[in-house]
Amino acid sequence: MMEKSSPRRRVAFVGMPNTGKSTLFGRLTGVRAKVANWPGMTVDLLSAKTILGGQTVEMVDLPGMYSLHGFGEDERLVRHFLEQEPVSLLLVVLNATQIDRQLPLVLQLKALDVPMVVALNMADEASFLGIRFNCQRLSETLGMPVCQVSAKRGEGMAELKALLTQAVSAQEGRVASRNDALLIEDDRLEAEAERIVAAGVDFPHSLPETTTDRIDRVLLHRWFGLPLFLLLMYLLFQAVYGIGVPLQDGMKWLVEHLREGVLEPRLLDASPVLRSFVLEGLIDGVGTVLTFLPIILVFFVLMAIVEDSGYLARVAFLMDRWMSKLGLDGRAFVMQIMGLGCNVPALMGTRVIRSRSQRLLSMLIIPFSLCSARLQVIVFMTAALFPLHWAPAVMMSLYLVSFAVAFLSALIWKRRYRSDEALLLEFPPYRFPTLRSLFQQGWHSTRHFLAGASGFILGGVLFIWLLTHYPFHLPPASAGTLAGQLAGWLQPIFAPIGIDAILSVALLFGFVAKEIVLGGLAVIYGAGEDKLGEVLSARLDWVQAYSFMFFILIYTPCLSAVATIRRESRSWGFATLAVAWPLAVAWLISLIFYQTARFILG
Amino acid sequence: MTLDQLSPAQCATVVEIDLPFELRERLAALGVKTGRHLSVVHRIGRHGPLQVRAGSTDFILRPQEAAGIRIQ
């Protein structure tokens, strides 16, 4: 915490949700926060230093808030920040198309008596709608500089920077104290805002029918809305695999090259334990995860299109009726869909849900979403063990089971995580992201994913290497190794569901990351990925295979998902439940399936 | 009548909002106040959520909350 008398300059970004604050913040500081055309994306305070007119200024991006006097968590956070931290300037970001309802917030903030600059963002959309601003008039009546910008297109940045520089240097060394901030009654502010808007903004008589309205007439159709959504999702996943898999092959080639061309020759003289540690622990384990990076990157870029487009709010609208029966709302379904790619960003996305219990319930069911890592295992096993014409039906059955388990879990737990949060969600217009923002966002998400997961994955991989290799003189994963002994103890649990000891060792791999299951099986059976299919079909019948796939599908989220659940819920108890519950459900479902099938088939 | 009874494409004026304080605040921030014009843009079934337009702002809410907004 700095001294109150410190001459340091700090600019705080404030505004309502979904006004493009974070995009503008990124433009001015070069620091990217996750942005989406979905209200409430900024949850953490993000700060960055930048140079304005030759002096260092700290910029802080505050979460969106509807009113300075509101009672939401975001509002409290912003108020707390403004009360505790010295701020030399407030940059108020408004959605220019909604200036009539956003201006009261400016007047509330004005009462704090801190220097302010107003940026009318999304000026491009406003001019498209025929809304015209007299910025000079607005500046005079508001008593603060006002300018139009488009953060997305980078328009008006020079003028805004000039205004900020001027406003900040005019306040040399001054730090305002806001402890005596008065709450002026809001009705008076409303009337004042109306007067200011009438004087400085020219609204067209009636807003023209927009492209958004025309698209919505199709996408929100009573009967076709949901089928269209399913079709769009199907196309999205086709595209993820169509673009991602070739890139993944390239990554595999790189990792193999690193192993065979660089590391193996250098480790010829090293001790066998070190050799095995680097090659079978580091490279096989971490390398397998790395080969998934391209798919994750492609998925995040495509998901960024969906998020930026504003379509997710429509999906929430279409599904809300069904989700309300599960104690959730449409937003939870949106997260379930995001989870099909990777559970981790979906878990973080639950931040838009205000009620803690509803948020926890949503986080409890997201891991049942069949993520791309599990899909890989399932696709591989389906191809190896079932006739070709059965494969689509097998895949479909697993998707259905994954959704059924998620919804049943919500039904069971909704009493424990009861919430009566009203659904009140702003409906943004459709927007098309710029190419630049797409790649920045895809890259940002991927880096964030890596930073969050890498420590966990590295540690887990090395731990499993140790389990399967110690004592070092035994063959890897044989009965005498730590993993072999553990599998022996686990046998009473796994035998009733048709999974033999050696397969249960692979499930240990899967706890770290489902991506490792295939590699784990390859190590266990001593077969390369190309021969693994034959080995599996010789050892398993279809009933065992199904039981194994059900178990893989449902049991425990991967370590990075567990880490995210722990971080987001800030509760070890909840993280434990999020591991134990799916484990129990997976075992029960596999048991019922396996025993019934065996009984029927004799 | 109340907002949940309004058919799509119809317009109405808010007469009274009978909802918990916090919800009233959030509605006010979205531009829903006594005297303002509202219209329902889309609606999913009879018990599904409504897409409501207030000025240039669209939002969705459920019929049980819409029932707390009296209109004419």
Side-chain angles (χ1 to χ4, degrees):
Chain A
M1 188 69 61
M2 71 190 73
E3 290 290 309
K4 287 269 176 197
S5 59
S6 154
R8 194 158 145 205
R9 286 159 195 88
R10 182 187 274 160
V11 178
F13 287 52
V14 284
M16 292 198 181
N18 215 19
T19 49
K21 274 192 316 298
S22 297
T23 309
L24 186 61
F25 185 81
R27 279 277 177 198
L28 289 175
T29 63
V31 174
R32 305 280 145 198
K34 178 158 173 56
V35 294
N37 191 5
W38 173 262
M41 257 342 273
T42 308
V43 183
D44 298 320
L45 296 178
L46 195 64
S47 88
K49 290 196 182 65
T50 187
I51 307 285
L52 269 186
Q55 47 186 337
T56 311
V57 176
E58 187 192 7
M59 301 209 172
V60 186
D61 185 19
L62 299 176
M65 58 163 178
Y66 284 113
S67 159
L68 192 57
H69 310 149
F71 293 94
E73 205 162 314
D74 299 338
E75 276 103 351
R76 258 195 292 268
L77 206 149
V78 173
R79 225 166 25 224
H80 183 81
F81 182 88
L82 293 177
E83 275 160 15
Q84 300 299 319
E85 304 289 326
V87 170
S88 22
L89 179 71
L90 291 180
L91 172 59
V92 190
V93 185
L94 301 187
N95 175 346
T97 65
Q98 302 175 340
I99 187 171
D100 48 337
R101 73 169 175 90
Q102 301 205 344
L103 210 56
L105 177 65
V106 178
L107 297 176
Q108 287 177 348
L109 289 163
K110 193 180 171 191
L112 297 176
D113 209 20
V114 186
M116 287 163 64
V117 169
V118 173
L120 297 173
N121 194 17
M122 307 189 184
D124 49 332
E125 283 183 25
S127 88
F128 185 75
L129 289 174
I131 306 171
R132 268 171 249 300
F133 302 93
N134 184 340
C135 282
Q136 204 185 342
R137 192 69 192 271
L138 283 172
S139 291
E140 283 161 14
T141 44
L142 278 170
M144 60 187 78
V146 177
C147 70
Q148 293 187 64
V149 298
S150 166
K152 182 170 138 187
R153 296 175 198 282
E155 289 160 10
M157 289 302 126
E159 193 198 346
L160 177 61
K161 269 189 189 163
L163 286 180
L164 288 176
T165 308
Q166 220 173 9
V168 164
S169 46
Q171 294 303 318
E172 189 104 10
R174 186 195 139 177
V175 170
S177 148
R178 280 162 315 281
N179 293 332
D180 54 350
L182 286 172
L183 296 186
I184 305 182
E185 13 105 34
D186 290 343
D187 289 347
R188 200 177 60 71
L189 295 184
E190 298 274 328
E192 194 182 337
E194 255 169 58
R195 228 169 4 95
I196 295 172
V197 169
V201 185
D202 180 20
F203 267 101
H205 221 53
S206 66
L207 293 172
E209 189 193 41
T210 57
T211 320
T212 292
D213 291 331
R214 281 191 285 269
I215 298 175
D216 270 345
R217 234 180 291 146
V218 179
L219 291 185
L220 292 184
H221 189 276
R222 272 187 80 163
W223 306 116
F224 304 134
L226 274 179
L228 274 174
F229 156 70
L230 292 175
L231 180 71
L232 284 173
M233 274 343 267
Y234 175 77
L235 292 177
L236 181 106
F237 284 107
Q238 287 291 104
V240 167
Y241 288 97
I243 304 167
V245 170
L247 291 175
Q248 189 187 22
D249 290 342
M251 197 71 158
K252 272 186 194 150
W253 181 84
L254 266 181
V255 172
E256 251 162 56
H257 244 65
L258 179 71
R259 182 192 171 118
E260 285 164 14
V262 181
L263 289 172
E264 277 183 4
R266 257 159 235 206
L267 288 166
L268 279 178
D269 302 328
S271 74
V273 173
L274 178 68
R275 221 177 107 80
S276 156
F277 173 80
V278 173
L279 296 180
E280 281 146 38
L282 275 180
I283 293 296
D284 280 358
V286 181
T288 318
V289 180
L290 270 185
T291 58
F292 261 81
L293 212 55
I295 287 204
I296 288 177
L297 179 71
V298 172
F299 174 76
F300 281 135
V301 169
L302 291 180
M303 217 54 204
I305 299 181
V306 177
E307 287 172 2
D308 275 3
S309 71
Y311 183 55
L312 288 181
R314 272 81 186 169
V315 175
F317 181 61
L318 288 169
M319 282 303 293
D320 183 66
R321 231 177 109 191
W322 306 105
M323 296 307 284
S324 70
K325 299 190 198 308
L326 306 174
L328 292 162
D329 65 40
R331 294 170 299 179
F333 184 78
V334 167
M335 298 309 142
Q336 208 67 22
I337 293 302
M338 282 183 161
L340 293 178
C342 175
N343 293 173
V344 173
L347 288 164
M348 296 196 289
T350 58
R351 291 173 179 184
V352 295
I353 300 171
R354 284 167 175 237
S355 139
R356 178 170 163 84
S357 50
Q358 192 178 329
R359 196 178 161 207
L360 292 182
L361 186 60
S362 180
M363 283 204 278
L364 190 64
I365 67 166
I366 284 172
F368 293 123
S369 228
L370 206 175
C371 70
S372 55
R374 273 171 276 182
L375 189 63
Q376 193 212 19
V377 183
I378 283 163
V379 166
F380 185 88
M381 292 196 72
T382 312
L385 289 152
F386 292 89
L388 196 62
H389 59 276
W390 272 33
V394 172
M395 293 296 310
M396 199 61 187
S397 70
L398 288 159
Y399 269 110
L400 290 179
V401 166
S402 102
F403 273 96
V405 170
F407 294 159
L408 275 175
S409 292
L411 265 182
I412 290 168
W413 287 95
K414 77 172 184 184
R415 254 175 274 277
R416 168 73 181 75
Y417 296 105
R418 190 195 297 273
S419 106
D420 52 0
E421 181 172 330
L423 178 73
L424 191 60
L425 187 69
E426 205 179 320
F427 229 47
Y430 288 111
R431 295 187 175 116
F432 294 98
T434 58
L435 217 57
R436 178 172 164 240
S437 85
L438 274 189
F439 284 105
Q440 270 169 349
Q441 216 172 309
W443 174 236
H444 178 82
S445 309
T446 309
R447 226 181 40 191
H448 191 88
F449 173 81
L450 266 188
S454 55
F456 233 140
I457 287 175
L458 189 67
V461 159
L462 297 183
F463 182 63
I464 282 173
W465 171 82
L466 192 68
L467 280 183
T468 48
H469 285 72
Y470 189 83
F472 295 120
H473 61 273
L474 294 173
S478 63
T481 59
L482 290 177
Q485 290 174 22
L486 194 60
W489 296 333
L490 293 173
Q491 202 41 40
I493 301 172
F494 285 110
I497 60 174
I499 298 174
D500 64 19
I502 207 148
L503 271 178
S504 66
V505 175
L507 291 175
L508 288 182
F509 285 83
F511 180 59
V512 176
K514 306 291 189 286
E515 291 93 325
I516 306 176
V517 169
L518 273 187
L521 287 172
V523 173
I524 292 166
Y525 286 120
E529 263 193 59
D530 43 341
K531 291 233 182 80
L532 187 59
E534 292 168 33
V535 178
L536 281 180
S537 63
R539 296 212 172 210
L540 302 174
D541 66 4
W542 72 270
V543 179
Q544 278 176 304
Y546 238 120
S547 178
F548 186 75
M549 285 195 292
F550 276 145
F551 200 83
I552 284 274
L553 170 66
I554 302 165
Y555 91 119
T556 70
C558 68
L559 274 189
S560 37
V562 175
T564 309
I565 290 172
R566 153 78 195 100
R567 199 179 60 229
E568 296 294 315
S569 68
R570 294 191 207 94
S571 154
W572 282 105
F574 182 75
T576 311
L577 175 70
V579 172
W581 172 252
L583 201 55
V585 173
W587 190 79
L588 262 180
I589 287 185
S590 292
L591 179 79
I592 293 168
F593 170 79
Y594 185 74
Q595 296 298 343
T596 314
R598 279 278 174 265
F599 180 76
I600 292 172
L601 300 171
Chain B
M1 71 196 243
T2 52
L3 181 60
D4 58 315
Q5 295 160 341
L6 195 67
S7 310
Q10 277 187 316
C11 262
T13 310
V14 179
V15 179
E16 191 194 349
I17 301 176
D18 181 22
L19 286 168
F21 179 70
E22 202 212 318
L23 209 51
R24 235 168 39 225
E25 288 252 300
R26 285 171 63 196
L27 280 167
L30 289 168
V32 180
K33 281 164 222 166
T34 311
R36 288 285 167 93
H37 294 285
L38 296 181
S39 61
V40 172
V41 187
H42 286 278
R43 175 156 200 183
I44 309 285
R46 209 142 55 91
H47 305 286
L50 300 92
Q51 180 193 349
V52 178
R53 182 163 295 171
S56 56
T57 303
D58 283 17
F59 60 91
I60 58 176
L61 83 172
R62 288 175 170 170
Q64 56 263 43
E65 278 85 35
I69 302 174
R70 278 217 300 129
I71 51 170
Q72 68 176 22

